[in-house]
Amino acid sequence: MRAGYLSDANDVRDRVVAALYREAEEIVRKAVRKTNPEKTWETKLDDFLTAPVTGFATMVFLLGLAFWITIVGANYPSEMLARLFAYGEEGLLRLLTWLHVPAGLVNLLVLGIFRTLGWVVSVMLPPMAIFFPLFTLMEDFGYLPRVAFNLDYLFKKCGTHGKQALTMCMGFGCNAAGVVACRIIDSPRERLIATLTNNFVPCNGRFPTLILMATLFLAGTLGSLGVAMIVLAVVLLGMAVTLLVSHLLSKTLLKGVPSTFSLELPPFRKPLLGQVIVRSLLDRTIFVLGRAVLVAAPAGLVIYLLANIDAGGVPLLQHAAGWLDPFARAIGLDGIILLAFILGLPANEIVVPLILMGYLAGGSLMEMESISELRELLAVRQGWTWLTAVNVMLFSLFHFPCGTTLLTILKETKSRKWTALAFVIPTGVGLGLCFLLTQVVRWLGLA
């Protein structure tokens, strides 16, 4: 990356754009007579959505509303898909047994690969099928350019581009899609910053872990409202860290002058529902899910082998957890949790099932039947506290991107160096935050 060359090029472009705008304003001043026409509803709505206070308040409200609809709406189809895959698993077992396939190979194919694929599809597909159409609806209505307009000031202060806000929003659905969306940023320097920081907003694969931790240990008697508030706070923390890391990158590795954000706000228009559904499902949901499945299938094979191959009478999974345990304790986790995050590299959705697999010494992915059973396992039998839950949430928010996102970053940047940095930066932030929080809380005797 030739930062100096890019900086000069951006500077020239900024001056050209500024000169064009000055010329246009001069022509308008001479040729157009303003008669103070009555404001239309579009003008009033535009003023409301782009004002400093109401603009940000609306953005937070709509973001929270989209999360709530996605979280609540995804529960039922997720359960239906999980049951469907369970039936499929039984049918596949019977078919392979009828074909006299060796038992070891049957378990490997069904309990290793097929069950992992089932987890990924049943957890990822419903939220994406809800969130992406909502996102596309706001895009078609013309709201998202207003969000970019509102956030441009903050991102420009951090040395980046307002369009990064749009890629960040896409990251809520899937970070791989967010990385692909970075193509809308013209400046290579700013596009790279947006790519490296997209993982700081949680994708839908991490929301189940965040919601579960908030439900079990933090929401208390506030119920679903408390869970929603905690998750929203986590999201806002991720956005704040996005701005901070973007600022640090723009002052160190990716120095340069922020490019001018010349955005003509489009008129509001009625979304075309059919086009929204087709575009969001085909261009985004199926595309991202396909990549996730490609990564999850071989990962399921590896996880199954680790859980079922013994060394000295103990599964390799337990050996690895024991080796990681001292380091994990220093950051408020334990060896099983940290190993679950590492093995969850293919897809964040399988982190919690992997934790359960490790604690219960199961040979394949598994899920507890109820919240109360899960709370007893984690809090009573494994000694989890609120600090453990907070650290799990922090590390879920700030750790390496999933395999699908890393593969996408490699394809978009065509650079192993930037892909490696995309892995190291969020992981370093997560380890540092968990370590500091754990040591401070323990020093104060709060947990």
Side-chain angles (χ1 to χ4, degrees):
M1 177 66 65
R2 293 175 295 175
Y5 169 78
L6 293 175
S7 173
D8 293 341
N10 288 331
D11 187 48
V12 170
R13 186 175 60 180
D14 290 352
R15 281 187 283 175
V16 170
V17 171
L20 289 173
Y21 269 77
R22 282 197 301 272
E23 183 68 19
E25 289 172 352
E26 182 63 20
I27 293 173
V28 169
R29 189 182 64 78
K30 292 178 179 178
V32 178
R33 180 177 295 174
K34 297 181 180 178
T35 57
N36 296 321
E38 185 178 349
K39 287 190 173 182
T40 63
W41 71 268
E42 290 95 342
T43 310
K44 293 178 181 176
L45 183 59
D46 228 350
D47 292 343
F48 182 82
L49 293 178
T50 56
V53 177
T54 55
F56 278 94
T58 305
M59 184 183 68
V60 172
F61 171 76
L62 289 179
L63 190 62
L65 183 62
F67 287 150
W68 182 80
I69 293 174
T70 302
I71 291 170
V72 174
N75 285 337
Y76 300 105
S78 282
E79 290 175 5
M80 291 174 62
L81 280 174
R83 283 199 291 269
L84 184 64
F85 274 99
Y87 293 139
E89 183 179 308
E90 291 176 7
L92 190 58
L93 273 174
R94 284 197 293 269
L95 174 64
L96 294 176
T97 304
W98 180 74
L99 292 174
H100 301 291
V101 177
L105 183 58
V106 170
N107 290 336
L108 191 66
L109 293 174
V110 178
L111 302 182
I113 297 176
F114 185 82
R115 184 172 290 185
T116 304
L117 286 178
W119 260 95
V120 171
V121 173
S122 60
V123 174
M124 283 187 71
L125 180 57
M128 285 196 297
I130 295 173
F131 183 81
F132 284 151
L134 290 175
F135 188 85
T136 310
L137 274 175
M138 290 191 279
E139 186 181 26
D140 268 22
F141 181 66
Y143 177 65
L144 292 187
R146 273 81 182 173
V147 172
F149 178 84
N150 291 337
L151 291 176
D152 179 56
Y153 175 77
L154 292 177
F155 278 105
K156 197 164 187 176
K157 279 290 183 184
C158 296
T160 60
H161 198 284
K163 286 182 181 177
Q164 188 174 341
L166 302 180
T167 66
M168 189 175 65
C169 291
M170 284 298 293
F172 288 125
C174 174
N175 293 125
V179 169
V180 173
C182 293
R183 295 174 183 173
I184 64 173
I185 301 175
D186 297 327
S187 163
R189 183 189 72 86
E190 292 163 348
R191 189 188 315 135
L192 195 50
I193 292 176
T195 299
L196 295 177
T197 57
N198 191 270
N199 192 59
F200 287 118
V201 292
C203 64
N204 61 51
R206 287 180 274 176
F207 277 115
T209 303
L210 300 176
I211 294 169
L212 186 64
M213 292 300 108
T215 303
L216 290 177
F217 293 94
L218 303 174
T221 57
L222 294 177
S224 59
L225 177 61
V227 174
M229 291 172 64
I230 291 168
V231 173
L232 184 59
V234 171
V235 169
L236 294 178
L237 174 63
M239 294 170 67
V241 174
T242 298
L243 291 168
L244 176 62
V245 174
S246 297
H247 177 71
L248 293 176
L249 286 172
S250 69
K251 295 297 182 185
T252 54
L253 292 177
L254 295 167
K255 288 182 180 178
V257 178
S259 59
T260 299
F261 189 17
S262 51
L263 173 65
E264 182 179 354
L265 293 178
F268 295 108
R269 57 183 180 270
K270 184 179 179 181
L272 300 174
L273 195 58
Q275 290 185 11
V276 166
I277 292 174
V278 171
R279 197 166 80 240
S280 58
L281 288 182
L282 294 183
D283 294 352
R284 292 172 179 167
T285 305
I286 302 300
F287 170 76
V288 174
L289 189 65
R291 285 192 174 186
V293 168
L294 284 177
V295 175
L301 176 64
V302 173
I303 293 167
Y304 182 83
L305 292 175
L306 285 175
N308 287 277
I309 296 178
D310 292 354
V314 179
L316 292 178
L317 198 68
Q318 297 293 333
H319 278 296
W323 183 75
L324 291 171
D325 197 66
F327 174 75
R329 296 283 177 187
I331 57 173
L333 306 175
D334 62 28
I336 290 290
I337 301 172
L338 188 56
L339 181 62
F341 275 106
I342 295 172
L343 294 177
L345 172 68
N348 289 299
E349 294 80 1
I350 61 177
V351 169
V352 171
L354 284 172
I355 292 174
L356 301 182
M357 181 199 299
Y359 284 147
L360 299 174
S364 57
L365 291 179
M366 56 195 307
E367 185 179 21
M368 300 297 289
E369 295 296 330
S370 68
I371 288 292
S372 58
E373 288 182 28
L374 193 54
R375 184 181 287 110
E376 181 183 347
L377 170 67
L378 299 179
V380 179
R381 293 161 58 184
Q382 300 299 328
W384 281 36
T385 65
W386 67 267
L387 178 60
T388 313
V390 171
N391 281 322
V392 170
M393 294 178 79
L394 280 177
F395 201 66
S396 179
L397 182 63
F398 304 125
H399 76 292
F400 44 82
C402 69
T404 306
T405 305
L406 286 173
L407 183 63
T408 305
I409 293 173
L410 180 62
K411 288 186 175 180
E412 293 295 315
T413 63
K414 297 180 175 60
S415 166
R416 294 181 181 178
K417 169 190 166 185
W418 295 119
T419 306
L421 272 178
F423 183 99
V424 169
I425 292 174
T427 307
V429 171
L431 292 175
L433 281 177
C434 289
F435 178 79
L436 284 175
L437 176 67
T438 301
Q439 299 309 315
V440 169
V441 169
R442 286 176 180 170
W443 181 66
L444 293 174
L446 298 177

